[in-house]
Amino acid sequence: MVQVRVLGIALDAAQQHVILLKPVLAGEGDGRILPIWIGAQEATSILVAVEGAVPPRPLAHDLMIAMLETLEASVTRVDVTRIDDGTYYAEITIDTPRGIRVIDARPSDAIALASRAEATMWVADEVLSEAGILDTVSDPEDGAEEEVEEFRRFLDDVDPEDFQG
């Protein structure tokens, strides 16, 4: 397993949201980053957490964290465990008064929770080897400022009603 952090969120050529995960330690992951395609709502939720923004009303992942805290539980880590036919799988590890529990989850939800809980994020070596791409977007000194700025522009133009079902 390789510990990762959120490098940024970007839009691909088809205007789909992509979260980029980068190894925390330089040299791990063979210079690769992991792109995971996610929905717009999940992208917003992750970016809100990473940026430390406070939405006017709690988002779904804020509610999940509040529920866990009420139950005296906490997210300790998330793992992107495998990829199968282009679908990523993840697990959320939760510390509860009744012991450690591991829950199957979509990577986007797991990352949104980890970002709020300041939990560690990990990617299986095999996933990074199979689906990782060479890191040509980040500068090791300053992160992915351009990707973050592009997504901020998206958030400036989005209306909360755009996310209603």
Side-chain angles (χ1 to χ4, degrees):
M1 295 291 257
V2 175
Q3 187 175 4
V4 296
R5 65 179 176 85
V6 174
L7 175 63
I9 298 176
L11 293 173
D12 69 6
Q15 299 301 300
Q16 297 292 317
H17 293 88
V18 180
I19 184 165
L20 302 172
L21 300 178
K22 179 179 182 158
V24 170
L25 297 176
E28 284 196 341
D30 296 325
R32 296 181 174 273
I33 57 175
L34 182 66
I36 301 177
W37 280 260
I38 60 176
Q41 290 177 325
E42 292 82 2
T44 299
S45 184
I46 292 167
L47 191 60
V48 163
V50 169
E51 291 293 313
V54 179
R57 299 282 300 143
L59 300 175
H61 298 104
D62 298 317
L63 172 62
M64 290 179 201
I65 292 294
M67 290 170 60
L68 288 169
E69 289 172 352
T70 300
L71 297 170
E72 299 177 357
S74 61
V75 176
T76 58
R77 71 181 279 159
V78 303
D79 301 308
V80 178
T81 57
R82 66 188 175 100
I83 183 171
D84 187 18
D85 287 331
T87 300
Y88 293 88
Y89 293 83
E91 296 176 341
I92 302 168
T93 301
I94 299 175
D95 187 2
T96 76
R98 297 184 66 190
I100 302 295
R101 302 288 190 253
V102 178
I103 300 170
D104 181 44
R106 296 182 310 170
S108 57
D109 290 327
I111 293 165
L113 287 173
S115 297
R116 284 168 171 71
E118 298 181 9
T120 58
M121 295 179 278
W122 300 82
V123 172
D125 295 320
E126 301 80 30
V127 172
L128 198 54
S129 293
E130 180 180 337
I133 59 173
L134 287 178
D135 183 1
T136 60
V137 297
S138 71
D139 178 359
E141 297 300 317
D142 67 357
E145 294 299 321
E146 290 178 25
E147 287 83 3
V148 172
E149 272 308 310
E150 181 178 334
F151 200 70
R152 280 189 185 136
R153 287 190 294 275
F154 163 77
L155 288 177
D156 288 341
D157 295 330
V158 75
D159 193 348
E161 286 78 32
D162 294 340
F163 298 101
Q164 293 180 343

